[in-house]
Amino acid sequence: MRIEEATMFIQGSIEEMVGTYNLKRLFVFRTAVIASELAAVGLAVYGLSVVLPLHYMLSVIALYTLFNAYVWLRLRKSPSASANEFFLHLVVDVLALAALLYFAGGSSNPFVSLFLLPLVIVAATLPKRYVWGMAAVTLGCYSLLMLINVPLTQEMTGHNHGAHAGHGAAPAGDFSLHVLGMWFSFLLAVGLILFFVVSMAEALRQRDQKLAEAREKNLRDEHMVSLGTLAAGAAHELGTPLATMAVLTKEMEKEYRQQPELLENIVILRSQVDRCKATLGQISASAGQMKAESGHSEDVKSCLNHCIARWQELHPATSIAISLKGLEPAPTIVVDETLNQAVINVLNNAADASPNSIELNAEWSAVELNLDIRDFGDGLSPAALEALGKPFFTTKKDGHGLGFYLASEVVRRIGGEMNISNHAEGGALVNIRLPLQKLKTE
């Protein structure tokens, strides 16, 4: 999968996650709106003596409540939600508000400004096409309410009975009622914006952060695939010359049996050729296989001992102080060859910096392995500490800058963490923390 395709897939997953999060918030938002509508109707009828068609309005609120109950059941059954579904839910909210306002004065009702809330929510969370769609819906409902509505009236004595409470030349009592309604509408809008829109903006910021992390991970993965392809090609190309060298050194052993000094060098050369062939064979055997298929079960302590023994064959002149401590019996894992090679790479770097001696301290519990590898060299500069782990950066004259990078990527792949620092008593210290549950046998 290419980076663009992987990023689009991850972006779609994150968009769905954000849609789900917003739909849950919308459920809470709608519940608060229903409670506010009931409170506003009760206050208007019983506190301010406003004449309202209660049967119709309560029927609308009841249907609105049933829809909200359906959303609650739907979220419990399947929490995922698309942008289209989230938009349709907001359209239902607009239509419910329009129905209530129709029975309560239409556009002259102070709560008409609540039409702006769904538009703000869409503008903060959805692409531009949804914003235009919501603008058309809210504007259309507002315009219809200007033309058709049930006038809002208030029970009063004398000549003021039945006066309309709209904008313009309204009686003082009705205008005060309108102002009070506008204040309550403004208070409700501020509260809902603070509760809902701010939360969704935070969800969007988290989405952007996860998208950035996903792009960075995809770049690293593509880099690793490229390096793996190059390694496979190199292994294939090196097979033939190594086979030729193996045949020639075997013939030279027979030809120069009478020259011990030369024969000793030939034997060393042949052993190195055999080691290269074994390494290439191991790469070929492991390529394309899953960990559980190519690995074998082994306890952590034995795995570390085998890994150290393999490294010691490559560096017989370097002394290594080993400390292995932890839960007994040690937890059993599936040996990951790439992880073994990563540890060997770190040990190689330590031996290059400190050819005489290095240290390895390992501690484990049932869930985590903590591995410290220290050299006794000159340590690293602040610039080198910051740059290590990036491909092709090296502090060696003949280095390629891939050993530490590949090791850190292997550790990160299984959910671990690898850090490097300067030891307080001199030299560099590499700390590797591995979650053993990722390596446990099934």
Side-chain angles (χ1 to χ4, degrees):
M1 184 181 293
R2 297 183 58 82
I3 286 181
E4 294 82 1
E5 296 172 350
T7 302
M8 289 178 63
F9 173 77
I10 294 171
Q11 184 170 4
S13 300
I14 294 176
E15 289 284 358
E16 182 174 304
M17 179 192 68
V18 173
T20 303
Y21 174 83
N22 287 340
L23 189 57
K24 292 179 179 178
R25 283 285 180 180
L26 186 58
F27 167 76
V28 179
F29 163 83
R30 190 179 293 117
T31 303
V33 168
I34 291 171
S36 300
E37 288 171 348
L38 290 172
V41 170
L43 178 63
V45 173
Y46 299 106
L48 302 175
S49 300
V50 178
V51 178
L52 294 173
L54 282 180
H55 290 89
Y56 293 109
M57 296 187 72
L58 292 178
S59 297
V60 172
I61 295 176
L63 290 173
Y64 195 34
T65 304
L66 287 175
F67 176 75
N68 204 35
Y70 157 76
V71 173
W72 179 69
L73 294 174
R74 178 245 179 277
L75 286 172
R76 291 188 62 185
K77 184 178 179 180
S78 175
S80 61
S82 64
N84 288 336
E85 182 179 359
F86 182 66
F87 176 77
L88 290 176
H89 278 261
L90 287 170
V91 170
V92 171
D93 294 329
V94 172
L95 295 177
L97 177 61
L100 287 174
L101 291 177
Y102 167 79
F103 293 110
S107 62
S108 65
N109 192 297
F111 286 94
V112 74
S113 60
L114 292 179
F115 276 131
L116 293 174
L117 276 178
L119 184 59
V120 171
I121 292 171
V122 172
T125 59
L126 297 178
K128 186 181 294 185
R129 63 181 183 276
Y130 294 104
V131 180
W132 285 106
M134 182 55 67
V137 172
T138 53
L139 186 59
C141 290
Y142 193 109
S143 302
L144 285 174
L145 289 173
M146 293 179 66
L147 301 175
I148 53 173
N149 59 77
V150 176
L152 186 66
T153 60
Q154 185 178 16
E155 292 181 354
M156 299 182 67
T157 60
H159 64 278
N160 287 334
H161 181 74
H164 288 228
H167 289 284
D174 290 346
F175 185 74
S176 298
L177 175 63
H178 186 82
V179 171
L180 180 63
M182 291 179 64
W183 175 85
F184 189 76
S185 172
F186 178 79
L187 183 65
L188 179 62
V190 169
L192 292 176
I193 288 175
L194 288 176
F195 171 76
F196 190 74
V197 178
V198 172
S199 298
M200 287 193 301
E202 179 63 26
L204 289 175
R205 284 190 290 269
Q206 293 177 3
R207 180 202 64 179
D208 293 339
Q209 181 180 356
K210 289 182 178 180
L211 280 174
E213 293 173 354
R215 292 190 187 98
E216 183 180 354
K217 182 179 183 300
N218 284 326
L219 285 171
R220 290 199 307 265
D221 289 346
E222 186 170 86
H223 206 159
M224 289 289 290
V225 170
S226 299
L227 290 174
T229 303
L230 290 174
H236 178 75
E237 294 295 330
L238 290 172
T240 300
L242 283 174
T244 303
M245 292 170 66
V247 172
L248 290 176
T249 51
K250 187 175 182 180
E251 295 295 326
M252 292 172 68
E253 282 182 346
K254 296 178 181 179
E255 185 176 351
Y256 296 102
R257 286 184 183 278
Q258 306 303 322
Q259 302 182 36
E261 293 182 359
L262 181 59
L263 182 61
E264 182 179 355
N265 291 333
I266 293 173
V267 170
I268 294 173
L269 178 62
R270 179 172 173 77
S271 68
Q272 297 301 312
V273 171
D274 290 341
R275 178 176 293 172
C276 291
K277 290 180 62 180
T279 301
L280 290 179
Q282 193 174 45
I283 292 174
S284 299
S286 301
Q289 298 183 18
M290 296 299 290
K291 176 181 65 175
E293 297 172 352
S294 62
H296 60 277
S297 297
E298 192 173 12
D299 66 81
V300 173
K301 189 173 183 178
S302 299
C303 179
L304 288 172
N305 281 325
H306 290 165
C307 186
I308 294 169
R310 285 174 54 187
W311 172 84
Q312 193 77 71
E313 291 178 1
L314 301 174
H315 297 270
T318 303
S319 172
I320 178 170
I322 303 171
S323 173
L324 305 179
K325 297 184 298 183
L327 182 69
E328 293 292 348
T332 301
I333 62 173
V334 174
V335 177
D336 188 333
E337 181 56 35
T338 60
L339 181 58
N340 286 342
Q341 192 60 52
V343 174
I344 291 174
N345 283 343
V346 177
L347 289 170
N348 287 339
N349 288 339
D352 291 340
S354 177
N356 294 326
S357 63
I358 63 173
E359 284 184 0
L360 183 146
N361 298 308
E363 292 186 18
W364 61 84
S365 64
V367 296
E368 185 180 70
L369 170 65
N370 189 15
L371 191 64
D372 288 331
I373 298 174
R374 178 196 173 191
D375 64 58
F376 296 90
D378 298 329
L380 297 165
S381 66
L385 286 173
E386 187 174 348
L388 269 175
K390 298 178 180 178
F392 307 113
F393 175 83
T394 180
T395 57
K396 306 174 188 176
K397 292 182 180 180
D398 57 347
H400 300 289
L402 290 176
F404 193 86
Y405 166 71
L406 292 174
S408 62
E409 287 300 312
V410 168
V411 171
R412 186 182 293 111
R413 175 178 58 85
I414 61 175
E417 183 181 358
M418 189 166 85
N419 297 301
I420 185 168
S421 61
N422 286 323
H423 195 276
E425 298 178 4
L429 176 68
V430 176
N431 174 256
I432 301 175
R433 303 177 72 89
L434 296 171
L436 293 181
Q437 62 268 24
K438 296 291 184 69
L439 299 169
K440 287 289 180 70
T441 55
E442 297 295 335

